Amino acid sequence: MFPYIPTTYEEEQEMLKSIGLNSADDLFNDIPKDIQLNRELNLPKAKSELEVKSYLTSLAKKNCSLSELTCFLGAGAYDHYIPSIIDHIISRSEFYTSYTPYQPEISQGTLQYIFEFQTLLCRLTGMDVANASLYDGGTAVVEAALMAAAMAKKDEIIVSKTVRPETRQILETYAHIQNLKVIEVDMKDGVTDLEALDKLMNNNTAAVIVQSPNFFGIIEDLKATSEIAHKVKKASFIASVDPISLAILKRPGDLGVDVVVGEAQGMGIPLSFGGPYLGFMAAKKGYMRKLPGRIVGETEDKDGKRSYVLTLTAREQHIRREKATSNICSNQGLNALAATIYMVTMGKEGLKEVAMQSTKKAHYAFEELTKSGKYKPLFNKPFFKEFAITSDIDAENINIKLRKENIIGGYHLGKDYPQFKNSILYAVTEKRTKDEIDKLSSVLEGIK
């Protein structure tokens, strides 16, 4: 593989000498010795290009794509249909290298789709302003929490235990560094315990974070939660949502939500074994100047033609670091473009159709899986496209048996919620057919 590494040993030594180091290992001196590997990697000293390519190909073949398997796994990433027009457009040369517009007004194409992305998100969420864009749904929640804490000048964040576990872990990680206190509010029958939330509210509360549909697929009462959150002065109510669900549910902006965040992977972005994905954030007008990222606006050029400008940007690359609203947010340009094409292609009726089919098929699957009584509902609440069922059978064994039938089973809730041992969360999108759901039911019934 050496021909692909243009730097020679002599050039490497020259570079090290110019910065006053003796070896490449010296570059890692700031990392404590006790967490360094302190041994050679367990790799052969050398292999030919042909051997390496053959080995990596054999590793890649161990992966199975959704063209081979039927997927009932969700828990934050979903197997929705991706219209072919998306790959066609994002593969155009003017788009597939798009990133941050450092000379923004020159990048009119990039600015236009960012503007359209923001506009569509505002219409979908009922909010006044949206940014473009964030790494994923988890970091979007973090950014919203940091923004709320900065605006309120308070240090307590209340988050529901029905929020996706990975998202709460990310929040804890960033909150620790930012000297923020994260308080988790308990759940009751699969939804946020609003009485417990009411008792936790205090003068130090900067934000309340709830997910709806929540991690269990259940629709939370955002309006009631908003009323509780806003009892405390300057406290922000942050809702993490599935954007597709908003085609049939009330918009968060109409329910008293201050900041709406979420993961837009389901809107034209493939699962890709975990990423890259697309986080989004939309908020009320009062949050505009604290919103991380950038806001693109529409204007006219000197000839009176429609054009786009970078209206607001609060990234550390554009302004002084200490004045930046965020040092981690980025513009997931290509994914934002894919989501924009998806929303425009599907339109209002198309999005509604996706949401309705997902909901109806999920409820059909729920009825089929629980009708014999072998598998029981874990909760008794309205859900969108995910539901949890429980049984006396080991959940990991169930998923192993399903995999042998070329079915990717649901998410084992016992991994994150010990009280829900042998409980599984299943996701059903518009792609799932009646035959696939019936097969899932049949296989589950045969597992002992």
Side-chain angles (χ1 to χ4, degrees):
M1 300 297 285
F2 179 76
Y4 293 95
I5 304 174
T7 307
T8 65
Y9 175 79
E10 290 75 17
E11 289 172 329
E12 181 182 311
Q13 293 303 307
E14 184 180 349
M15 286 189 288
L16 289 168
K17 183 180 178 181
S18 69
I19 58 176
L21 300 178
N22 296 317
S23 71
D25 291 338
D26 292 341
L27 292 167
F28 304 97
N29 283 339
D30 289 334
I31 300 175
K33 297 293 182 184
D34 60 332
I35 64 171
Q36 290 187 29
L37 187 60
N38 294 317
R39 64 170 174 79
E40 293 291 323
L41 292 173
N42 186 21
L43 293 172
K45 289 297 182 183
K47 281 186 178 292
S48 69
E49 178 181 343
L50 182 61
E51 289 173 310
V52 172
K53 185 176 181 180
S54 176
Y55 177 67
L56 293 177
T57 300
S58 68
L59 289 180
K61 285 182 177 179
K62 292 183 178 181
N63 291 325
C64 291
S65 72
L66 296 185
S67 61
E68 307 166 72
L69 304 172
T70 303
C71 182
F72 288 96
L73 178 63
Y78 303 96
D79 181 27
H80 283 288
Y81 175 68
I82 300 175
S84 58
I85 189 175
I86 293 177
D87 278 345
H88 173 73
I89 294 178
I90 66 174
S91 297
R92 291 177 62 92
S93 59
E94 60 264 44
F95 290 134
Y96 64 63
T97 57
S98 67
Y99 185 59
T100 301
Y102 291 103
Q103 293 177 297
E105 278 62 52
I106 294 175
S107 308
Q108 282 294 301
T110 300
L111 292 182
Q112 180 175 357
Y113 75 69
I114 289 177
F115 176 82
E116 301 292 354
F117 174 76
Q118 294 171 171
T119 303
L120 291 166
L121 277 182
C122 286
R123 290 179 180 176
L124 199 59
T125 61
M127 307 307 283
D128 300 319
V129 60
N131 72 358
S133 46
L134 298 157
Y135 289 132
D136 53 28
T139 54
V141 168
V142 170
E143 291 284 9
L146 297 180
M147 177 176 69
M151 289 189 66
K153 294 182 172 58
K154 299 178 182 180
D155 61 3
E156 286 189 6
I157 308 295
I158 299 177
V159 59
S160 172
K161 287 185 179 179
T162 64
V163 170
R164 188 179 181 222
E166 286 184 8
T167 297
R168 288 185 280 124
Q169 290 172 4
I170 298 169
L171 179 61
E172 287 278 2
T173 300
Y174 280 98
H176 170 71
I177 300 299
Q178 296 285 340
N179 295 317
L180 296 177
K181 182 180 180 182
V182 176
I183 302 169
E184 293 192 344
V185 58
D186 285 326
M187 58 180 154
K188 188 175 182 180
D189 195 21
V191 295
T192 306
D193 187 334
L194 296 184
E195 289 184 7
L197 172 62
D198 196 25
K199 292 177 182 177
L200 287 172
M201 297 296 297
N202 64 84
N203 290 331
N204 290 324
T205 303
V208 173
I209 304 172
V210 170
Q211 179 178 329
S212 183
N214 65 26
F215 184 64
F216 307 112
I218 300 171
I219 299 166
E220 296 266 359
D221 190 340
L222 295 184
K223 187 172 180 59
T225 310
S226 170
E227 291 171 357
I228 294 171
H230 291 138
K231 286 181 180 180
V232 173
K233 189 177 181 181
K234 293 186 177 180
S236 297
F237 178 33
I238 300 166
S240 178
V241 304
D242 179 340
I244 290 177
S245 73
L246 300 182
I248 57 175
L249 298 178
K250 280 191 175 181
R251 301 185 304 174
D254 300 329
L255 297 171
V257 177
D258 299 308
V259 185
V260 182
V261 293
E263 172 61 66
Q265 172 273 324
M267 295 168 51
I269 299 166
L271 288 165
S272 302
F273 300 99
Y277 288 165
L278 175 66
F280 66 87
M281 181 186 294
K284 290 181 177 178
K285 189 175 181 179
Y287 292 79
M288 184 185 298
R289 292 192 175 275
K290 293 294 183 181
L291 207 64
R294 57 189 57 74
I295 297 174
V296 173
E298 185 181 61
T299 186
E300 290 184 354
D301 64 15
K302 65 179 183 179
D303 298 319
K305 295 180 180 178
R306 182 174 61 177
S307 59
Y308 303 91
V309 293
L310 198 55
T311 304
L312 285 174
T313 179
R315 266 187 109 200
E316 82 285 358
Q317 291 162 315
H318 297 279
I319 63 176
R320 287 179 294 173
R321 183 178 290 267
E322 66 273 15
K323 296 290 186 180
T325 57
S326 171
N327 291 325
I328 70 164
C329 76
S330 180
N331 173 31
Q332 302 292 78
L334 205 59
N335 283 342
L337 174 60
T340 302
I341 300 167
Y342 180 88
M343 287 186 277
V344 171
T345 301
M346 303 303 289
K348 184 184 293 186
E349 293 303 316
L351 279 174
K352 185 176 179 180
E353 182 69 18
V354 170
M356 287 299 295
Q357 282 205 30
S358 297
T359 301
K360 289 179 179 179
K361 290 179 177 181
H363 282 76
Y364 172 75
F366 174 79
E367 295 295 334
E368 288 297 304
L369 269 55
T370 59
K371 68 181 181 182
S372 73
K374 183 175 182 178
Y375 300 93
K376 296 178 174 59
L378 184 61
F379 306 113
N380 181 27
K381 295 285 184 181
F383 61 88
F384 175 47
K385 65 184 178 189
E386 287 179 279
F387 58 88
I389 59 175
T390 188
S391 71
D392 297 327
I393 306 171
D394 179 72
E396 294 298 338
N397 184 49
I398 288 175
N399 281 336
I400 290 170
K401 295 289 179 63
L402 287 173
R403 178 63 183 80
K404 290 179 180 178
E405 298 292 332
N406 291 326
I407 297 172
I408 299 177
Y411 185 83
H412 180 196
L413 292 174
K415 294 178 180 178
D416 302 294
Y417 302 89
Q419 69 271 37
F420 298 144
K421 181 182 178 182
N422 295 336
S423 299
I424 298 179
L425 180 70
Y426 290 95
V428 184
T429 70
E430 82 285 3
K431 282 183 66 175
R432 300 286 69 85
T433 65
K434 182 178 183 297
D435 287 344
E436 289 171 339
I437 296 170
D438 290 344
K439 180 180 178 180
L440 171 65
S441 178
S442 176
V443 174
L444 286 174
E445 284 298 315
I447 297 175
K448 297 179 181 179

